[in-house]
Amino acid sequence: MASLLRVRLASRHDVLPAYLCAAGPSPAEAVATLRAEGHPRIAVAPYLMGPGFFARRAAHAGGCLTSAPLGTHASLARLVALRYDEALGGVPSATSPPSCSPR
C-alpha cells in the first residue's frame, strides 16, 4: 500500500511504510524517522477496516494528521460485494449443500 500511495502522491512526498504489529518500524518509529529527516508535517494513513486498538495506536504515533479507518466507504463495500460474487463463482441453489471440503 505504501508503494501505491507513493505513486498516487507522484513522489512529491516521502512515504515510509510502518507496521502496527509484529514487524517494524512501528508508526511512531516511522514518524520519528521522517521528523529526523526534516519533515515538519507528517500524515499517518493506516490501512485499517475499522476503529479499535490498532486505529488508536496509529492515531497516537505522533503524526500531525491521521486518516480514519476505511470503514463503510462505498468503494470498499463494492469491493467486498465483488469478492463475494467471485468466491461464489455462481450462486448455488438454496437446496444445494455447501461445496467446501477440508484441505
Side-chain angles (χ1 to χ4, degrees):
M1 292 314 299
S3 296
L4 292 173
L5 181 57
R6 190 176 290 115
V7 169
R8 173 82 172 148
L9 296 174
S11 300
R12 292 175 291 176
H13 305 282
D14 288 342
V15 175
L16 184 61
Y19 305 90
L20 288 161
C21 65
S26 70
E29 292 168 335
V31 168
T33 296
L34 291 168
R35 287 208 191 283
E37 292 175 358
H39 299 281
R41 291 187 43 85
I42 298 165
V44 177
Y47 188 59
L48 299 169
M49 298 297 287
F53 174 79
F54 289 114
R56 286 188 301 275
R57 190 170 175 196
H60 291 98
C64 298
L65 307 166
T66 301
S67 65
L70 299 172
T72 58
H73 192 281
S75 294
L76 182 59
R78 284 191 299 275
L79 177 61
V80 169
L82 173 67
R83 294 294 187 253
Y84 177 80
D85 290 342
E86 289 173 350
L88 288 179
V91 180
S93 71
T95 57
S96 299
S99 60
C100 297
S101 60
R103 293 183 185 196

